[in-house]
Amino acid sequence: MTSAELKLKTSETLDPGFQPASLFFQHYDEQASQNPESTRTILALARPDGTCFHHSMRLLPDGGEFSELNERYIERTLKFLLWMQGGSRIHFCGPRRLADYLRATYSATGARVFDFGFIGQKIFREDLTVEHHDSAATLPPALDKTTTLGGHLQGCRIGFDLGGSDRKTAAVIDGKVVFSEEVPWDPYFQSDPNYHLEGIRQSLQSAAEHLPHVDAIGGSAAGVYINNEVRAASLFRGVTDADVFEGQVRNIFKDLAKEWNDVPFDVINDGEVTALAAALSLKTHSILGIAMGTSLAAGYCDPNGRITSWLNELAFCPVDMRPDAPADEWSGDVGCGVQCFSQQAVARLAPAAGFDFGNMPFPEQLVEVQMALLEGHTGAARIFETIGNYLGHCLPLYARFYPLKHVLLLGRVTSGDGGEILLETAREVLHAYYPELAESIKLHTPDETNKRHGQAIAAASLPALV
């Protein structure tokens, strides 16, 4: 499968070298289905608590001409599953050589050392391991856990969403928003947790001033949170001292709850709140919520209307298969979603669109591009067309792994006229390349207020009143 076979026909984008993972997987599946020697293979991702996800696929005969292709296929599949569903114990029923390849790649000395450490030790508190199985009968049984979150609108509530470039806060009374604000901040590389703590305190107090009293507080932030405990989060990536993290970060939200007289207080991953915002807005299920902001946040509401236990960290999931795809500055991997659906994507595409922003912060670059679009700058329009092109090709990839009927787009990148261009381009790509999916997947955007504050409002509905 050559680069030419994966290269887009639409060369008018600002990134004509983009090689969609959706087409890579599509071409591979076609080859496997036509090859009589292909075999059924299973990847199972298990967690310490017994949760386990199974993913089945057909694999071309291993060895010879398909060796390198199989490695690429199975490694990119595992990478996607690790960050979509999550698990520290990888079980592989397939060729032993490929199990050895995955074990070496996802190790302390392998190419995916970031994933090895982050998924394993930081999230699940154990080493990430790969075990080979000759038979599917010896795999751990599939077991998923879902929960019903949010939708609680009674009383006086505060909702907050902690992003990488701003804090969004909303005050809600019986489901009606009476106050919302967006405050810029720069938490990513702050080594002193007091920066985060004081910022969150300020936002909560600002919202509380518009309420007669506070019955509950709900929040969202990028990362993994278990029972309000910070397990791993980009928001606190600047806190590199392990003792400081343990002493001042891990229980930061539990400490805040005490300051507010222990009212019901729930904090979860921002992606899950994105999905909840989508479900509340559209009043339907099988929804993938995608928030394009400082990074890429995502969440999923399943066909039964429940939030899954999946990680849904699509920022790290591969979407671009070219070997020299843009690299994620945090994980070091190339072709990840964050480089296509965030302020980072806007900044990366800006020079090709005729902008010279120098070292201007990414949020400010986005604002400049959006203002230039209003003034008729053709390069600004092409930035959003290119991001829309990415999206149109990535939705089939997401549909490969998620039962999907609806997609709700949120975040600062989708605001204004740029968001409309992005959405229209995505629809055009779907109809041109994936006509069946174009009819089955519906794309949505909330109104402008919910685009910017929808997550904070949905977060407010998280806690149930005692």
Side-chain angles (χ1 to χ4, degrees):
M1 198 172 304
T2 67
S3 296
E5 288 178 305
L6 291 176
K7 191 171 183 179
L8 294 184
K9 298 175 183 177
T10 52
S11 59
E12 68 272 11
T13 70
L14 292 175
D15 192 6
F18 174 60
Q19 295 178 14
S22 56
L23 295 183
F24 170 82
F25 283 119
Q26 184 180 88
H27 292 328
Y28 184 97
D29 290 345
E30 290 172 356
Q31 284 184 271
S33 66
Q34 295 168 7
N35 191 310
E37 297 182 19
S38 65
T39 56
R40 180 62 61 185
T41 302
I42 298 174
L43 270 171
L45 280 67
R47 299 177 177 182
D49 67 356
T51 301
C52 186
F53 311 105
H54 284 205
H55 182 78
S56 179
M57 67 212 100
R58 293 204 67 82
L59 196 70
L60 287 165
D62 194 46
E65 63 176 312
F66 297 123
S67 292
E68 185 176 344
L69 179 59
N70 280 347
E71 289 176 1
R72 197 177 188 206
Y73 176 81
I74 202 69
E75 190 277 322
R76 293 287 82 179
T77 298
L78 176 57
K79 171 80 175 194
F80 198 103
L81 293 172
L82 278 172
W83 291 101
M84 172 210 170
Q85 293 180 313
S88 50
R89 304 170 186 182
I90 312 306
H91 300 267
F92 179 65
C93 179
R96 183 177 293 275
R97 186 191 75 84
L98 291 177
D100 293 340
Y101 170 75
L102 292 176
R103 187 179 301 110
T105 302
Y106 288 87
S107 70
T109 58
R112 302 290 168 258
V113 60
F114 174 86
D115 310 80
F116 171 83
F118 205 102
I119 292 285
Q121 289 293 341
K122 287 192 175 181
I123 295 180
F124 296 109
R125 299 196 166 192
E126 64 177 18
D127 285 345
L128 190 151
T129 59
V130 177
E131 181 179 341
H132 176 258
H133 295 256
D134 290 316
S135 169
T138 63
L139 292 171
L143 175 65
D144 196 358
K145 297 180 179 180
T146 58
T147 186
T148 301
L149 286 174
H152 307 292
L153 300 175
Q154 73 277 23
C156 298
R157 298 168 172 269
I158 298 174
F160 63 87
D161 174 50
L162 306 178
S165 57
D166 54 61
R167 309 186 307 268
K168 300 180 181 70
T169 316
V172 182
I173 300 178
D174 293 330
K176 180 181 179 181
V177 178
V178 297
F179 167 80
S180 67
E181 73 171 356
E182 183 175 314
V183 179
W185 74 337
D186 184 24
Y188 270 13
F189 302 106
Q190 302 291 337
S191 60
D192 184 357
N194 282 315
Y195 175 89
H196 306 79
L197 181 60
E198 290 306 317
I200 301 168
R201 279 174 173 161
Q202 183 183 60
S203 289
L204 294 179
Q205 187 59 46
S206 181
E209 291 173 357
H210 294 80
L211 297 171
H213 56 272
V214 176
D215 295 315
I217 300 173
S220 70
V224 179
Y225 303 88
I226 299 176
N227 295 326
N228 288 348
E229 178 186 302
V230 182
R231 190 61 63 87
S234 59
L235 196 70
F236 302 98
R237 59 190 291 189
V239 184
T240 56
D241 186 300
D243 291 336
V244 173
F245 185 92
E246 288 295 326
Q248 300 182 49
V249 174
R250 189 171 297 283
N251 292 314
I252 190 171
F253 294 111
K254 292 181 179 180
D255 294 338
L256 281 166
K258 293 177 182 177
E259 294 181 10
W260 288 87
N261 299 317
D262 285 318
V263 299
F265 196 121
D266 288 328
V267 177
I268 65 174
N269 173 268
D270 56 352
E272 303 313 319
V273 175
T274 300
L276 177 60
L280 293 174
S281 173
L282 301 175
K283 296 180 174 57
T284 188
H285 306 308
S286 297
I287 303 170
L288 182 65
I290 297 176
M292 302 183 194
T294 306
S295 184
L296 167 64
Y300 180 64
C301 184
D302 75 10
N304 296 312
R306 295 172 296 188
I307 300 297
T308 69
S309 63
W310 305 351
L311 298 184
N312 298 311
E313 292 286 355
L314 296 187
F316 294 112
C317 290
V319 300
D320 185 352
M321 295 299 293
R322 56 184 154 167
D324 60 345
D328 170 32
E329 51 85 23
W330 193 11
S331 71
D333 199 0
V334 300
C336 299
V338 66
Q339 285 294 324
C340 293
F341 307 113
S342 68
Q343 294 173 21
Q344 295 180 50
V346 174
R348 180 173 61 81
L349 296 169
F355 294 96
D356 182 9
F357 292 128
N359 294 322
M360 181 184 294
F362 291 166
E364 295 177 24
Q365 290 191 38
L366 173 61
V367 171
E368 290 293 324
V369 169
Q370 290 171 330
M371 292 177 61
L373 179 63
L374 292 175
E375 297 171 359
H377 193 294
T378 57
R382 294 188 69 196
I383 287 176
F384 293 104
E385 288 170 357
T386 301
I387 296 175
N389 185 65
Y390 294 148
L391 181 63
H393 280 286
C394 286
L395 289 175
L397 174 67
Y398 297 154
R400 175 186 179 87
F401 295 95
Y402 291 93
L404 196 56
K405 293 183 179 179
H406 301 273
V407 175
L408 182 72
L409 302 177
L410 295 162
R412 297 178 68 179
V413 176
T414 68
S415 294
D417 292 348
E420 295 301 320
I421 294 172
L422 187 159
L423 191 65
E424 183 58 32
T425 304
R427 288 183 174 130
E428 291 175 358
V429 171
L430 277 175
H431 281 285
Y433 286 84
Y434 318 92
E436 292 184 3
L437 283 177
E439 298 301 322
S440 62
I441 297 178
K442 306 301 181 185
L443 305 185
H444 308 269
T445 56
D447 60 41
E448 199 64 26
T449 298
N450 280 328
K451 277 184 182 180
R452 301 179 70 86
H453 301 290
Q455 285 176 269
I457 295 168
S461 78
L462 284 173
L465 298 185
V466 178

